[in-house]
Amino acid sequence: MARRGEDLGGEFVRSAWVVLAIWALYGAVHLALLPLLGWDVPGPDEWTRLLQVRAWMDGQSWWDVTQYRMNPPAGFSMHWSRLVDLPLALAIAVLGEDWGMAVVPLVWLLPVMFALRSIMLRLGFSRVAYGFGLILLPLFPLLPGSYAPLSIDHHVPQAVLGVICAALLLSPRVWAAVAAGFFAAAWVVISLEGLVLVAVLAGLYALRYLVEEQRLLPWFLLSLTVSAAFLSLATRPNAELFGPFCDILRPGHIATFGIATLVAGIVPFLPFQQNAAGRLAGLALIPLASVPLALVVLGPCAVNPMAQLDPALAAWWHGYIAEGLPFWEQPVSVAAMLIWTLVPIIGGYWLAGRGGGFSDGAGMPWLLLFLFTLAAWAYSLLLLRAGLIAQLLTIPFAAVMLALLLPRTRAIPSAAPRALATLCCFMLATPTFASALGKPLDPLFPTPTMARGAAAPMAEEPCDYAQLDRLEPGLLLVTMDAAPEILGKTGHTVIAASYHRNQQPMVDIIAAYTGTDQDARAIIDTYRPDYVIACQSAVDFALYRTATPENFANTLADGKVPAWLTPVAGFDNGVLRVYRTR
């Protein structure tokens, strides 16, 4: 592989200006297409993020992320972090709501591109490999939509922070380890799902000490501990930190980080640290001290934050959220995409070694990136949304594959074999083709996420929930997926939405639609909603219809309205039906 400093043109290609130009072009194309594609907010999580920012900008406390228009007056407790709200609120304040939501995902893309640039410079990429690394993002299926306008959920910032940590990991500098600890802390404060890969980061800093005697691990852990404590206290009320929930970073986590920091700081001063066996024995003390502490102080929260999920939610809700499921519960095309991502990771690493990429001190950075990417890939097999960071980290490996293999294909004299070989290079380097080839197999091996609502007839026309704003504001009994959009477009309130802390209202919504008319009436008597909503094209409404032939969802779908409901004029037929309770 060619090295840095090849020529002046190569230096320009690697400059920050080229990164900015490619990012600006990518953003300009997306924003230009937005009026054609529409301004529809992608899903419930994006709507709820917007509702959270609206409430804060309207005066709700920074410390309070409760959604008070869900299950009023108590509201819905949320575990989301204000850290994600900050850039969105700023963009909305400057550009207005629509353009603020359009721009923020593209803003998140910029640090990703600079982190990839840093990785490629650290590894000494050739000009060609570097160029590929800047333009390959659209060929990784999970990435384009994640950075598209209006995609404002918190999974994108998590991936951004993960890639930044990867770039900092490759540096031998103390300041980089301290910065990595800060960004890792922000990562786990936003979502505890990041804890797995943050632990891998700590393990890789330990590897640097084991192999190279670089004492970066204590600095990383110290920064992680202090930053996690600061960011938690700065963004969450104390009552929540010590509350019953397992889905946020708790004092027990921070105490565990602290013990790991203390032991890691002592290890270099222990006997026998001059040899690898002694260093390995010293490093082993860190998990021996910290893991038992975590099990004691965190209890069930140390194992599974979702362990207390109600069986009804597991059966009718959580088991249908594709982004939270492992690869064996995904459609064939998605599973193939996840698995195939391993090919460019291994292929790029192997080719980089053969091409001389491990010389000039780049061997350890390459190994660190390879192991971290491999861990992210393995995590993505268990949790689909972790595939976002896995695919971002795979880009440098894919770039190396293309830079080293494509020149060989161009040397093939015959046009047809040359074109086929070129296509095969891209098939090897990205998971897009594996996903496309698996698509025809999806109907042959249906999964629960694919079959959601398929057993019950559904209308094709989407429900226009903005029409509900014509009604006098009231409390709605409505399926959970539609609830955030209704709150975003109308002045109504709802009983529940799909956020796991608030299990009882969620269970009651499911029980109302999947149970008998009498079950629904009992729940209505408990919550006293003003309206009952039935969207014929909503996939969760269709799913509830599959429970039993005579359940409440089927009663509404078939137009057999109970006597205690009155059809609302203008909503008594068609895809969106509304009933007033008596």
Side-chain angles (χ1 to χ4, degrees), residues 475-524:
L475 178 63
L476 310 184
L477 187 147
V478 63
T479 56
M480 292 183 289
D481 286 353
E485 182 178 352
I486 290 173
L487 297 183
K489 293 182 174 180
T490 75
H492 296 293
T493 56
V494 299
I495 293 175
S498 301
Y499 301 103
H500 63 268
R501 281 190 175 186
N502 311 276
Q503 295 196 35
Q504 193 55 56
M506 294 172 66
V507 169
D508 289 339
I509 288 292
I510 292 171
Y513 283 100
T514 61
T516 64
D517 292 0
Q518 290 75 21
D519 295 331
R521 180 59 191 267
I523 291 169
I524 286 172

Side-chain angles (χ1 to χ4, degrees), residues 127-184:
R127 181 177 59 183
V128 175
Y130 178 88
F132 275 124
L134 292 181
I135 63 173
L136 277 179
L137 184 143
L139 292 182
F140 286 79
L142 293 178
L143 302 184
S146 298
Y147 294 95
L150 309 179
S151 297
I152 56 172
D153 71 11
H154 56 276
H155 303 307
V156 168
Q158 291 173 236
V160 172
L161 294 167
V163 177
I164 292 173
C165 286
L168 293 167
L169 172 68
L170 306 189
S171 171
R173 306 291 185 182
V174 169
W175 70 263
V178 172
F182 172 79
F183 288 113

Side-chain angles (χ1 to χ4, degrees), residues 157-250:
Q158 291 173 236
V160 172
L161 294 167
V163 177
I164 292 173
C165 286
L168 293 167
L169 172 68
L170 306 189
S171 171
R173 306 291 185 182
V174 169
W175 70 263
V178 172
F182 172 79
F183 288 113
W187 188 359
V188 293
V189 165
I190 290 173
S191 175
L192 207 56
E193 288 176 356
L195 193 58
V196 173
L197 293 179
V198 169
V200 172
L201 279 172
L204 294 175
Y205 276 110
L207 179 64
R208 298 203 79 152
Y209 176 66
L210 177 65
V211 176
E212 299 180 329
E213 297 187 60
Q214 291 189 3
R215 301 182 181 184
L216 301 176
L217 177 60
W219 292 104
F220 171 76
L221 290 175
L222 177 62
S223 178
L224 173 66
T225 304
V226 174
S227 301
F230 170 74
L231 292 173
S232 294
L233 292 171
T235 57
R236 298 190 186 279
N238 293 340
E240 182 174 276
L241 293 175
F242 293 94
F245 300 114
C246 294
D247 54 8
I248 62 170
L249 201 68
R250 296 170 61 88

Side-chain angles (χ1 to χ4, degrees), residues 436-460:
L437 292 174
K439 211 66 170 169
L441 299 177
D442 286 348
L444 303 179
F445 302 95
T447 64
T449 55
M450 292 170 56
R452 189 182 187 193
M458 295 188 301
E460 294 184 2

Side-chain angles (χ1 to χ4, degrees), residues 463-465 467-468 533-536 571 573-578:
C463 287
D464 181 6
Y465 294 117
Q467 295 183 45
L468 297 175
I533 308 298
C535 175
Q536 302 291 306
F571 297 96
N573 54 52
V575 66
L576 179 60
R577 302 181 186 181
V578 182

